[in-house]
Each structure stands twice: as structure tokens, then as C-alpha cells.
Amino acid sequence: MAAVLVEGLSKRYGSTVGVDDVSFEVAQGEVFALLGPNGAGKTTAIEILEGFRSRDRGRVEVLGFDPADRGTLRLLRERMGVVLQELAVEPFLTVREVLARNAGYYPSPKDPDEVLTRVGLVEKARARVKTLSGGQQRRLDLGLGIVGNPELLFLDEPTTGFDPSARRDAWELVRHLTEGGVTVILTTHYMDEAEALADRVAVISQGRIVAQGTPDHLGGRDVGEARIRFRLPEGVDPGMLPVPTAASGGDGLEIRTDHEIGVLRRLTTWSEEEGVPLVGLTVERLTLEDVYLRLTGYRSGEGTPGGDGPSGGHGTGQREGRSGR
């Protein structure tokens, strides 16, 4: 059974489209990344799944519940965790007090001390929330998201403000959770994060899903043009090569082709026969970021629209309404 099922989801704010005929499924134990620029509809879709915003049309099931059904919403929220970009947390409580309090909202929570270890805040257990740095606050946000031992975890820009080491630790935490069967819905502007964590990706633009697939295959990424780059030793004439090349940065050479296997075979055969090394040989296809920018209609020098919904994103009141659970 799918952990999340969305069919024909639509939501408008007056004449403004939030989401328009959006459909996707998220399998149990999967990391599903919903990507899109600000104003694309991510926030609207996620808030509908969490039960914090109503929908106009469409079918939505989350862990077998309709999040619009207020009669079962508490049961649903006991089985899911939410990590927002900002959480309203009492600044004068200690880190452990905040985790222990939130653990009490759930029927089978994790041990707060285990959570402190998982998110790297053991040394800050007795520190007041107000004394935490930005990165430590995000670690606490993660801890609050997982302390309820959720079956489904929503991660909204979970590593914003993290240094590289902390980001990798957070990624390992997500992998640990999914190995235990937790389903994760991730929103992020870091394409390397989506590529590292997501089993599947959906790109939303102007309220519509414009592509879905694995990170490796999204938007035809696996069959697009390849770039073969290398350098020749000093004094070797590029005209000797068996294939035409173009100059690239760093005094290197570049070949763009849709048939990289054949080109590589000719290059490497020539290299062996002539005894001329191909220094720093690499083969690259479109990056996930390249595909994402193309799918969302990015143009260099143009800005992106503002946030989702009528207020331009998660308003303060909305964040506060979602912070406790």
C-alpha cells in the first residue's frame, strides 16, 4: 500500500493557482523529493498532506487517512513527524525539556536521550533553546520531527544552515530512518541533497507536476548529451585525435556527444596505440540541477516568484499552528 496517494489535487486562492491537478504516489519506506522554485506549489501541496490546509478537489490519502477528515486527524498526526524551516519553540526551555515534552504527545515515542544522540545535541541537552546557534536549532528541529517515532516524516529544507559535516550527519540520519521503514517526503533547494537521499523526485512548476522519476532518469537525464573532457600532454596536437574536439576551460578539451560509448572506445584505443595519455578523462551528463532548471523554465538573470499561497509562503501564524506536533 502506498504511504501517500495524491490524485488530481487542486487548490486555488481566489484567482491564484496553488496546485492544479497534481498526482503522485509515495511508497512505504521511500524518500520522495518534491522540488520546485518558490511559488511553485510545494508548500500548498505539503500542507494539504499534513492536514493544515484544505483542498478544493482531488483525492488524498496519507497512511490510509484523509487529512481533511478532522475526525481522524489526531490519529494521523500521531503517526507522522514534521520538520519545518522554522519552528516555534519556547526559548527558555532546555533542549532536553523540549524533546521530552513533545515526546509526550505521541503513543510510542523515541527516548529523548536517544534522539539527542542521533541529532548530535548531547552536549547541549541542558542548554536553553535561546542559546543555540542556527545549525544547532536545525538539529533540534530534526529531533522534534523524529521524537514521536513517526511512520511518515516531512522534511522541509532540513539542512539549511548546516555545515558540510552536519549535512552529511543529517543525511545518514535520514538513511537510518528509511532503513527502519520510515517514509520521508523531502523538499529542498539543494540538488545534491535530493540526489543523495531521494529514491524518486517530482518537479513542480506553476502548480503542476512537470516531471517525475528517479534522480538518475529525471527529464531524460540518462539519455541526454554527454560531455567528455580531458587534457593532452604538452606538445601533442589535438588534430591527431580520432574525433573532433572543442577547447574547454583550463587548457582542456571537450567532446559533446549522444554516443559516448563509441567515442570513448575510439579515444581510448587511439590513446593505447599511440601511447598518449588522456589526462583527467571524465564523462558527465546533465546534472540534476541542469535538468531542474530546464524543467522549471529558469533563465539566467531572471528572478523567481515569491512563496506559495496567498501570503507568499508559510506565514508566521501557519508555522505556529504546525509547530507543536
Side-chain angles (χ1 to χ4, degrees), residues 53-325:
R53 195 178 292 275
S54 64
R55 63 185 185 268
D56 294 336
R57 295 191 309 279
R59 176 187 175 196
V60 178
E61 289 186 7
V62 179
L63 300 178
F65 296 96
D66 181 345
D69 184 346
R70 300 300 159 181
T72 57
L73 186 55
R74 180 177 178 84
L75 294 175
L76 172 60
R77 289 185 178 167
E78 287 178 347
R79 296 169 58 184
M80 72 183 196
V82 178
V83 178
L84 301 174
Q85 292 184 46
E86 297 177 9
L87 287 177
V89 179
E90 290 86 342
F92 295 101
L93 294 181
T94 67
V95 169
R96 195 187 185 286
E97 286 172 344
V98 170
L99 287 171
R101 183 203 60 183
N102 274 39
Y105 294 144
Y106 298 90
S108 302
K110 292 180 179 293
D111 182 341
D113 291 318
E114 175 192 344
V115 174
L116 286 169
T117 300
R118 285 286 177 193
V119 299
L121 286 177
V122 173
E123 295 181 357
K124 292 292 182 179
R126 297 189 179 185
R128 306 279 181 193
V129 171
K130 70 175 184 174
T131 67
L132 299 181
S133 67
Q136 291 164 349
Q137 176 68 63
R138 289 306 284 156
R139 289 174 182 263
L140 176 57
D141 293 343
L142 278 171
L144 291 171
I146 68 173
V147 73
N149 200 20
E151 297 175 43
L152 172 64
L153 180 62
F154 292 92
L155 295 177
D156 185 5
E157 303 288 341
T159 62
T160 298
F162 278 16
D163 61 38
S165 175
R167 288 184 73 211
R168 297 293 173 141
D169 289 344
W171 294 358
E172 286 304 313
L173 172 59
V174 173
R175 294 186 182 113
H176 172 78
L177 291 170
T178 55
E179 287 170 1
V182 177
T183 304
V184 175
I185 296 182
L186 168 72
T187 64
T188 180
H189 288 298
Y190 298 128
M191 293 302 108
D192 61 333
E193 185 159 89
E195 191 151 24
L197 294 177
D199 298 297
R200 288 189 305 117
V201 171
V203 177
I204 187 169
S205 180
Q206 298 180 346
R208 286 182 169 267
I209 299 290
V210 294
Q212 292 191 58
T214 65
D216 288 340
H217 294 76
L218 189 74
R221 181 184 173 200
D222 55 327
V223 295
E225 182 181 70
R227 295 186 289 261
I228 302 172
R229 293 177 173 144
F230 58 92
R231 299 191 311 277
L232 293 175
E234 187 176 351
V236 177
D237 181 4
M240 298 172 58
L241 290 166
V243 291
T245 65
S248 60
D251 298 324
L253 298 169
E254 179 179 273
I255 300 169
R256 297 195 174 204
T257 177
D258 293 332
H259 308 286
E260 72 274 17
I261 299 300
V263 171
L264 283 170
R265 182 169 56 246
R266 293 166 67 186
L267 277 174
T268 54
T269 298
W270 173 87
S271 175
E272 291 181 356
E273 290 178 349
E274 300 296 328
V276 178
L278 303 173
V279 182
L281 178 67
T282 61
V283 182
E284 300 176 353
R285 288 195 176 273
L286 289 173
T287 66
L288 183 59
E289 183 169 304
D290 292 333
V291 172
Y292 167 81
L293 292 174
R294 185 185 68 194
L295 289 169
T296 56
Y298 174 82
R299 296 291 183 272
S300 180
E302 295 181 5
T304 56
D308 288 302
S311 61
H314 292 302
T316 301
Q318 186 64 31
R319 288 185 189 278
E320 291 174 353
R322 301 168 70 193
S323 64
R325 302 291 294 276

